[in-house]
Amino acid sequence: MSSFNVWHYMVLIVIFVMFIIGIIRAMKEKNQKMMYSMLFTVTLITVFMAVFSIFVVDKYTKHVKLYDLKNSRLLSLERISYTGIVKNVGKYPIGKVTLEIKLVNKGHVTGNVKGGNFYKPSGFLDFFTGSFGIDKSKPQTLVKKFVVARNLKPGHAHQFYVYFRFPPYFRSVAQFTQLTAH
């Protein structure tokens, strides 16, 4: 299923007509240098317009909502799992729905930044060996993206289940989620 809808095709047809008109106008130019410059400019502008218009049409025609998001930690496996439902609340089909989950250790969110929040182990031997290119720092933000639905028709919903490794040094976590329809 294509992620384009009727509006995408209409906008691209209008841009293509503008491109043809620009090419015809450039070909009528008598000065060779000016003609090539006009061809390049028309091509560049129409390509930018086409790419930009696809994002704009996506933003205004593809609407998806997240319902019943729950998470649970699997301590024995050091994983966290998320379950929920995504629903297409728009009038057009959606090719792909992406869920972005961002976990932040609470020290950064609340402004309570102490020395323990920025832990970077070091030792006497690290000075001489250079850690062999291994980064031992512990990031305080974790961002994961998952495709949770494909080919979602208008009014339909899809249940999902995703999981990933949970850093064992995270103590109190703030979570942020964002849905994107493509």
Side-chain angles (χ1 to χ4, degrees):
M1 168 185 276
S2 172
S3 62
F4 282 8
N5 57 42
V6 175
W7 294 104
H8 286 97
Y9 292 121
M10 286 180 16
V11 167
L12 290 176
I13 287 171
V14 168
I15 291 172
F16 183 71
V17 168
M18 290 172 47
F19 174 72
I20 296 298
I21 292 170
I23 294 294
I24 291 170
R25 175 63 184 109
M27 292 300 207
K28 289 184 179 181
E29 183 64 39
K30 294 187 185 353
N31 185 355
Q32 280 298 91
K33 290 183 180 180
M34 186 64 113
M35 181 184 73
Y36 290 132
S37 146
M38 287 175 68
L39 287 172
F40 178 75
T41 304
V42 166
T43 304
L44 189 66
I45 289 174
T46 54
V47 166
F48 280 133
M49 284 175 54
V51 170
F52 182 70
S53 68
I54 288 172
F55 289 116
V56 170
V57 171
D58 274 352
K59 180 174 174 51
Y60 288 105
T61 60
K62 297 182 178 182
H63 303 287
V64 65
K65 288 206 177 187
L66 180 64
Y67 296 101
D68 200 26
L69 181 68
K70 294 179 184 172
N71 66 353
S72 61
R73 280 189 61 189
L74 307 168
L75 295 175
S76 62
L77 300 174
E78 290 186 359
R79 290 187 177 172
I80 188 165
S81 66
Y82 285 86
T83 60
I85 299 170
V86 290
K87 182 176 182 181
N88 183 353
V89 294
K91 297 178 183 177
Y92 302 100
I94 297 174
K96 181 171 67 170
V97 179
T98 305
L99 173 68
E100 179 181 293
I101 301 171
K102 181 177 182 180
L103 300 178
V104 179
N105 227 358
K106 274 277 179 120
H108 297 316
V109 176
T110 61
N112 180 19
V113 179
K114 296 179 183 172
N117 289 341
F118 294 102
Y119 175 74
K120 183 166 183 156
S122 63
F124 182 71
L125 289 178
D126 286 345
F127 177 75
F128 295 107
T129 61
S131 298
F132 298 110
I134 300 171
D135 185 20
K136 293 183 181 179
S137 65
K138 295 182 177 183
Q140 301 298 311
T141 303
L142 183 65
V143 178
K144 296 287 186 179
K145 291 184 180 183
F146 302 96
V147 175
V148 293
R150 290 188 187 276
N151 301 330
L152 200 57
K153 295 179 178 157
H156 288 158
H158 185 268
Q159 190 172 5
F160 67 89
Y161 172 79
V162 295
Y163 64 92
F164 55 93
R165 286 187 41 87
F166 187 82
Y169 57 89
F170 273 30
R171 295 292 173 234
S172 181
V173 178
Q175 74 175 19
F176 306 96
T177 59
Q178 180 180 0
L179 275 179
T180 309
H182 305 288

